[in-house]
């Protein structure tokens, strides 16, 4: 049985994807501590930091109200899979979220929908909250096709425990965010394809100027922030602006 996570009355969610940054543990601790201090009085936004795997255990004990996420996980819980990190290992470390299917992994690690699908299921099974990244609604159809027919009806249910991050390719790391209107249309289309209760985040060139509009005008549950999350002051501003939304 897959564990179904509850998202009713969920707070706004701001997820920092540090990607392959920073290059030293010292910088990672500094960044984490600055964000921790900057957001400590904000109660109506859940802040999640997804550092590279290698920093997770080192900064996890500095824990505050900030939650932790990983940037990927494997689809098996243990075994002869050199170099992989399993959902069980992340759970044991106190990690709550895991980003799955980021477009950079699809591009540089050739991750396929069938692999992504297995990862989502493995994460849900152990009680992690997967954040599934998609850049177009057709990816949902492909994910549904990538499982055997008798699993298809279950897949919809599987998505109950997942969070979707809509991250259009043209907006990632380009400084050219998706227009709020287009993002809103996509959010509505994704909800129609899955279910109306699924939380959807927006990601792609989010900064402190545009953050609030994606939540307030486009109706997203929150944001997945890349580059701007490496600048503590900018990231804190994003959280504060969304808290006011
Ligand atoms: P940027 O915020 O740097 O565009 O990156 C978005 C992203 O890929 C978050 O996962």
């Amino acid at each position: 049985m897959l564990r179904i996570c509850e998202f009713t009355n969920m707070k706004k969610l701001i997820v920092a994807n540090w990607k392959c940054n920073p290059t030293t543990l010292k910088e990672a601790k500094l960044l984490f501590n600055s964000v921790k201090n900057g957001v400590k009085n904000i109660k109506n936004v859940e802040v999640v930091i997804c550092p590279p795997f290698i920093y997770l255990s080192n900064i996890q004990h500095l824990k505050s109200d900030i939650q932790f996420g990983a940037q990927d996980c494997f689809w098996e819980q243990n075994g002869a899979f050199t170099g992989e990190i399993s959902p069980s290992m992340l759970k044991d470390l106190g990690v709550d979220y895991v980003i799955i299917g980021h477009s950079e992994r699809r591009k540089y690690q050739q991750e396929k929908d069938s692999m992504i699908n297995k990862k989502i299921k493995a994460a849900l099974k152990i009680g992690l909250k997967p954040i599934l990244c998609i850049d177009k609604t057709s990816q949902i159809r492909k994910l549904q096709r990538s499982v055997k027919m008798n699993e298809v009806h279950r897949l919809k249910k599987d998505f109950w425990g997942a969070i979707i991050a809509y991250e259009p390719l043209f907006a990632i790391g380009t400084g050219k965010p998706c227009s709020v209107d287009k993002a809103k249309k996509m959010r509505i289309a994704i909800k129609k394809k899955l279910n109306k209760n699924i939380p959807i985040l927006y990601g792609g060139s989010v900064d402190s100027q545009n953050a609030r509009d994606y939540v307030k005008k486009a109706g997203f549950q929150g944001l997945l922030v890349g580059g701007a999350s490496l600048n503590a002051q900018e990231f804190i501003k994003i959280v504060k602006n969304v808290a006011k939304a």
Side-chain angles (χ1 to χ4, degrees):
M1 269 295 271
L2 294 173
R3 185 167 148 193
I4 309 296
C5 308
E6 271 299 328
F7 288 107
T8 39
N9 300 323
M10 191 181 168
K11 288 182 186 177
K12 297 286 180 268
L13 186 63
I14 312 252
V15 184
N17 178 7
W18 286 2
K19 306 191 180 184
C20 190
N21 299 290
T23 43
T24 65
L25 176 58
K26 194 174 163 194
E27 290 169 284
K29 282 184 175 170
L30 204 68
L31 178 57
F32 176 78
N33 279 324
S34 307
V35 172
K36 181 174 109 172
N37 292 332
V39 303
K40 68 174 176 238
N41 294 322
I42 298 171
K43 302 290 174 216
N44 61 341
V45 176
E46 175 137 314
V47 178
V48 180
I49 291 193
C50 304
F53 283 132
I54 197 154
Y55 299 143
L56 266 173
S57 53
N58 282 292
I59 57 174
Q60 193 268 352
H61 70 276
L62 306 171
K63 214 167 173 177
S64 51
D65 284 343
I66 292 177
Q67 305 295 310
F68 283 92
Q71 297 174 17
D72 179 41
C73 68
F74 193 51
W75 60 74
E76 295 290 347
Q77 305 299 345
N78 64 292
F81 306 106
T82 303
E84 296 293 353
I85 307 285
S86 79
S88 304
M89 294 170 188
L90 295 171
K91 189 72 187 169
D92 181 58
L93 215 58
V95 168
D96 290 307
Y97 292 84
V98 57
I99 297 171
I100 293 178
H102 193 281
S103 60
E104 286 150 11
R105 292 199 61 82
R106 294 177 197 257
K107 181 174 173 191
Y108 298 114
Q109 275 77 27
Q110 282 75 47
E111 279 199 2
K112 300 278 174 291
D113 288 327
S114 54
M115 294 156 76
I116 291 164
N117 195 1
K118 286 196 278 185
K119 289 181 177 196
I120 297 168
K121 288 183 180 175
L124 284 169
K125 194 171 182 179
I126 216 74
L128 292 173
K129 296 169 193 165
I131 301 171
L132 167 64
C133 299
I134 58 171
D135 62 75
K136 34 187 156 10
T137 49
S138 62
Q139 266 168 357
I140 292 173
R141 268 200 305 277
K142 279 204 285 166
L143 269 167
Q144 286 171 333
R145 273 206 303 269
S146 73
V147 290
K148 293 187 205 96
M149 272 320 284
N150 64 359
E151 283 187 70
V152 170
H153 73 281
R154 247 185 49 201
L155 186 68
K156 262 204 153 172
K157 234 179 147 193
D158 290 353
F159 276 104
W160 265 98
I163 296 163
I164 302 289
Y166 170 58
E167 294 211 310
L169 286 184
F170 63 83
I172 297 179
T174 58
K176 293 181 184 136
C178 184
S179 74
V180 171
D181 280 352
K182 180 167 185 236
K184 183 178 179 181
K185 276 188 196 137
M186 285 301 289
R187 182 185 66 75
I188 293 167
I190 293 165
K191 275 203 189 251
K192 264 194 198 146
K193 283 212 182 303
L194 295 173
N195 66 59
K196 66 178 172 44
N197 295 317
I198 199 158
I200 306 180
L201 312 180
Y202 170 78
S205 296
V206 169
D207 60 25
S208 58
Q209 300 298 307
N210 61 27
R212 199 164 170 223
D213 284 351
Y214 289 111
V215 174
K216 198 165 170 142
K217 293 191 185 155
F220 284 88
Q221 186 72 43
L223 304 163
L224 180 53
V225 187
S229 71
L230 299 171
N231 175 331
Q233 293 318 312
E234 178 68 2
F235 186 68
I236 293 164
K237 262 196 226 164
I238 291 174
V239 177
K240 286 186 173 166
N241 288 348
V242 169
K244 285 186 245 152

